[in-house]
Amino acid sequence: MSRIPRNSVAVIGGGGNVGAAIAFSLIAKSVPAEVLIVDVAEKAAKGQALDISDASFMMPGTCRQATFQEAGQSDVIIITAGARQQPGEPRSNLIDRNYKIIKSIMDSLKPIKSTAKILVVSNPVDVLTDIAQKVSGLPREQVIGSGTYLDSGRLRNALSNITGVSPTSIHAYMLGEHGDNQFTGWSSARIGGHPLLEHPKMHDIELDSIYTGIQRKAYEIIDAKGSTYYGIGICAATIAEALLNNTSQVFPVTNYIEKYGCYMSWPAAIGSDGVEQSFDVKLNDEEAKKLETAVHAIREACEKYE
């Protein structure tokens, strides 16, 4: 009897740190799937696959190197490949370079399985998710991005340290754009059904300092070790697990919001069909203005690739 699981998750760019962290997280989380490592750098992909497969002997998942054609027939396709923004480089240049990379990847994957779900992790994730959907031809609900899930995790960790409540019991999100225009949804934040800001330990807290700490954390990690990958690794693996296991969990992921006419980082329930439903989030006037700014920035960037 073959040990190869029925479901498969392909990690495009799996030879790099982010892709490898996602692949390893899938195995370590005991996700019962065949994890396929795909990369134009075939030697790196082979090495990561061999190393991660050593960790799978006591787990239900397996890991191996694969081709782009095999990846196109996977149940979940995770895109981590992309160009990094260079010091002083305009964001528009980064999008142009990543557009070419995403298009090349999608062409290499074709024919893409009609029921496949694509999860984009590459940045700028909101814009690249829009591009991936257009190029792949898959329905919008089947193409999502990692969005502000990691940012929201950082927020919940910070709030846990203040309130003494587990991060998993704090419902608070970073919203809008995964980038400079993201904002904290303080109006909708809750602990145990009560407004977060009414918690006694939040009364004297400077909210802007929490936001600033979250914004700076990635830069602090990059300055210290060159790149971030463990945090996004576990986040992407958790989203993939929800797609495979039809958990209907709510994550602040990049998904298409009809009301605003664009992909953006917003809470949505994720299941085997992709985005099952997205949710209205209570915002005050200041937060609503920040959302408008984020939407404008995303739409302006996406319109170039219509």
Side-chain angles (χ1 to χ4, degrees), residues 191-218:
I191 294 181
H194 291 276
L196 168 72
L197 298 184
E198 292 182 8
H199 191 284
K201 293 185 179 180
M202 292 295 298
H203 290 171
D204 298 321
I205 298 298
E206 177 55 54
L207 300 183
D208 286 343
S209 67
I210 297 176
Y211 174 83
T212 301
I214 292 167
Q215 289 287 80
R216 289 178 178 171
K217 188 168 186 182

Side-chain angles (χ1 to χ4, degrees), residues 95-113:
I95 298 173
D96 283 340
R97 290 195 289 134
N98 275 331
Y99 168 76
K100 295 175 183 177
I101 292 173
I102 293 293
K103 189 176 187 307
S104 176
I105 288 171
M106 291 302 161
D107 289 342
S108 298
L109 293 173
K110 291 179 178 177
I112 300 174
K113 186 177 180 179

Side-chain angles (χ1 to χ4, degrees), residues 286-299:
E286 181 181 358
E287 292 162 356
K289 290 179 181 178
K290 291 178 179 179
L291 175 59
E292 289 179 11
T293 300
V295 168
H296 176 75
I298 295 168
R299 290 181 63 176

Side-chain angles (χ1 to χ4, degrees), residues 27-74:
I27 295 298
K29 282 174 62 63
S30 296
V31 176
E34 182 181 34
V35 180
L36 306 179
I37 304 292
V38 182
D39 204 303
V40 291
E42 294 185 5
K43 188 174 182 179
K46 180 180 180 179
Q48 297 287 20
L50 289 172
D51 194 8
I52 295 170
S53 69
D54 283 346
S56 70
F57 76 96
M58 57 187 297
M59 301 296 181
T62 62
C63 182
R64 67 175 176 88
Q65 185 182 10
T67 66
F68 280 90
Q69 290 72 29
E70 288 176 299
Q73 296 303 302
S74 297

Side-chain angles (χ1 to χ4, degrees), residues 101-160:
I101 292 173
I102 293 293
K103 189 176 187 307
S104 176
I105 288 171
M106 291 302 161
D107 289 342
S108 298
L109 293 173
K110 291 179 178 177
I112 300 174
K113 186 177 180 179
S114 63
T115 57
K117 267 67 66 178
I118 294 177
L119 171 60
V120 179
V121 176
S122 309
N123 283 314
V125 67
D126 304 294
V127 177
L128 294 186
T129 302
D130 180 84
I131 292 171
Q133 188 275 320
K134 290 172 181 173
V135 177
S136 70
L138 292 177
R140 286 171 174 159
E141 62 270 16
Q142 289 176 220
V143 184
I144 63 177
S146 52
T148 53
Y149 186 24
L150 175 55
D151 308 278
S152 298
R154 289 171 176 156
L155 172 64
R156 289 159 69 173
N157 273 338
L159 294 173
S160 175

Side-chain angles (χ1 to χ4, degrees), residues 9-12 22 26 75-81 102 105-106 109 116-122 125 128-129 132-133 136 138 140-147 149 232-243 251-255 270 274-275:
V9 179
V11 183
I12 312 299
I22 293 171
L26 285 163
D75 299 291
V76 177
I77 304 168
I78 304 177
I79 310 292
T80 72
I102 293 293
I105 288 171
M106 291 302 161
L109 293 173
K117 267 67 66 178
I118 294 177
L119 171 60
V120 179
V121 176
S122 309
V125 67
L128 294 186
T129 302
Q133 188 275 320
S136 70
L138 292 177
R140 286 171 174 159
E141 62 270 16
Q142 289 176 220
V143 184
I144 63 177
S146 52
Y149 186 24
I232 191 59
I234 200 71
C235 287
T238 302
I239 296 169
E241 184 178 31
L243 290 167
F251 306 106
V253 294
T254 300
N255 62 112
I270 303 301
V275 176

Side-chain angles (χ1 to χ4, degrees), residues 201-306:
K201 293 185 179 180
M202 292 295 298
H203 290 171
D204 298 321
I205 298 298
E206 177 55 54
L207 300 183
D208 286 343
S209 67
I210 297 176
Y211 174 83
T212 301
I214 292 167
Q215 289 287 80
R216 289 178 178 171
K217 188 168 186 182
Y219 296 107
E220 183 180 355
I221 295 170
I222 292 169
D223 180 64
K225 56 179 278 188
S227 62
T228 66
Y229 38 91
Y230 292 123
I232 191 59
I234 200 71
C235 287
T238 302
I239 296 169
E241 184 178 31
L243 290 167
L244 289 174
N245 294 342
N246 196 32
T247 65
S248 298
Q249 289 172 272
V250 176
F251 306 106
V253 294
T254 300
N255 62 112
Y256 191 84
I257 306 298
E258 198 71 41
K259 179 179 178 180
Y260 299 105
C262 69
Y263 271 94
M264 55 191 286
S265 298
W266 207 248
I270 303 301
S272 58
D273 292 327
V275 176
E276 296 180 339
Q277 55 181 311
S278 57
F279 300 89
D280 287 329
V281 179
K282 179 181 178 182
L283 302 176
N284 60 30
D285 291 342
E286 181 181 358
E287 292 162 356
K289 290 179 181 178
K290 291 178 179 179
L291 175 59
E292 289 179 11
T293 300
V295 168
H296 176 75
I298 295 168
R299 290 181 63 176
E300 185 176 45
C302 290
E303 283 170 1
K304 183 177 179 181
Y305 305 97
E306 291 292 344

